[in-house]
Amino acid sequence: MRARAAFLAGAGSAALLAIGWNASLSLATTNTTNSVPAAAGTSGVATTKSSSAASTPAPSASAAPSDSASAAPAPAPAPAPAPAGPADGTYQGQAIDYQFGTVQVSVVIAGGQITDVQNNIAQATRGRDQAFPLLLNEVLQAQSAHISNLSGATYTTRAYEQAVQSALDAAGFTG
Amino acid sequence: MSVHTFDTMGTVVSIRLPDSLASDDAQMALSMVEREFTLRDERFSLYKQDSEASRIARGELLLTDSSDTMRDAYAESLAWRDATGGAFTPHRPDGVLDLSGTVKADALRASDVVLREAGVDVFSVNAGGDLVTAGVPEVGAWITGIANPLEAGDVLSVVSMTSTFSCMATSGTAERGEHIWRRPETDASFVQATVCAGDIMTADVLATAIIAGGAETLDYVTSRGDVAVLVVRADGSLLGNDAFRNLVTPA
């Protein structure tokens, strides 16, 4: 990635940029195909991983879970009327090494639905600092009482009157 | 903490200073900051017919004959263009030189310098949503909200600025003015990018570059290792790096 970034920084041609863009796309695709089956169940990981790489279309492996239900010894208390879906609980996926570090996620299932996806290890462990999906509750642990500034795409003088910053300024940041 | 605001560059600047500052000192600090913005507004604004930038845009003044200040600003913008692989550029598609992408950050950077030189060590200056901060206010940190681009008036995230990440800038497709030009091939799903860095120029330019250059530029920006990044996609999903997650204010 370092080589590509440096390369891109120097290159101005659209053709060269397009190559870089494709490269980053294929990297992303590889990551998702690896991580999705890993997140799908606790014990079925090894088999799903190889089969999905081969031919199985199953794009919604994480949500359509009939196989993992039979294989996984549910880590949660027995669900009441649950039909054929997966048992409630938190399912931890395999730690996946990739170019820039390690990714491991857990999926929380309740009532047959995925209610949360947690990043267990998401930092780049090899000197890289990559962007990855964040969940809203990871960025919004609001202490709104103490907010003094608001960052956003530039507001005009007129829009400021309707903007949150205007209210913060009027309140005078009593902290 | 006292709050002062003034209009400039088509937006509003909010300055926060500690109450402990003597009122004469505070007054002087405010006029110094205002002056930094006014000087740049008069020189670089394309909406002012008699500004140096407007004279260049009309072809009345050659760039080679322009002021050192103008050429320095142009040179800095070109350096950023090269550093971002062209995602950030001071040239509009119609060929007009538009330095408004860096002039606000330049004024914030100058404000930061004059305030420190005047001995003010706790302050924040917010120009239309881009801000520099210094020191530690009474509540323990400069706590900054990030606007939700998909819902007006909504705060998407709340972070605590640190001495490493003392500056923050946010760019978006809803941004005033036309200084973000997407390449046709850029993934248009990024609607807002926030970058925290140790200096406001880096934060501002990289936030703009991410919107203009999409995923590829985001990869470059995070690989620098010295910035915290939060990107909002059109579907409301978020992308960020560890540095950003570490800034999120604990509940």
Side-chain angles (χ1 to χ4, degrees), chain A residues 19-35:
Chain A
I19 292 167
W21 183 74
N22 285 334
S24 94
L25 254 190
S26 64
L27 172 68
T29 320
T30 317
N31 284 343
T32 37
T33 47
N34 276 342
S35 63

Side-chain angles (χ1 to χ4, degrees), chain B residues 183-198:
Chain B
R183 296 174 183 147
E185 70 274 19
T186 293
D187 172 4
S189 73
F190 291 6
V191 295
Q192 180 172 289
T194 298
V195 175
C196 305

Side-chain angles (χ1 to χ4, degrees), chain B residues 21-69:
Chain B
L21 206 62
S23 68
D24 282 0
D25 292 346
Q27 207 50 56
M28 182 182 286
L30 291 173
S31 36
M32 287 188 309
V33 169
E34 192 159 349
R35 181 164 178 274
E36 295 299 334
F37 278 90
T38 305
L39 284 175
R40 286 164 180 76
D41 193 26
E42 285 169 356
R43 190 185 297 277
F44 292 100
S45 290
L46 287 172
Y47 62 85
K48 294 195 179 206
Q49 289 304 305
D50 56 346
S51 72
E52 191 178 350
S54 289
R55 291 172 57 215
I56 294 171
R58 286 195 301 267
E60 296 168 13
L61 177 67
L62 289 174
L63 192 57
T64 46
D65 295 332
S66 67
S67 65
D68 288 352
T69 311

Side-chain angles (χ1 to χ4, degrees), chain A residues 123 129 132 138-139 151 155 169, chain B residues 11 14 129 145 157 170 240 242 245:
Chain A
Q123 69 268 49
D129 183 24
F132 49 81
E138 289 184 281
V139 298
S151 187
Y155 38 74
D169 291 347
Chain B
T11 186
S14 316
S157 177
T170 297
D242 267 327
R245 200 159 52 170

Side-chain angles (χ1 to χ4, degrees), chain A residues 78-123:
Chain A
D88 288 358
T90 301
Y91 294 82
Q92 181 170 306
Q94 241 180 16
I96 302 290
D97 282 327
Y98 72 115
Q99 200 175 355
F100 307 112
T102 307
V103 173
Q104 184 186 52
V105 299
S106 293
V107 179
V108 179
I109 295 184
Q113 306 264 330
I114 295 178
T115 58
D116 195 12
V117 179
Q118 298 157 351
N119 291 314
N120 298 338
I121 314 170
Q123 69 268 49

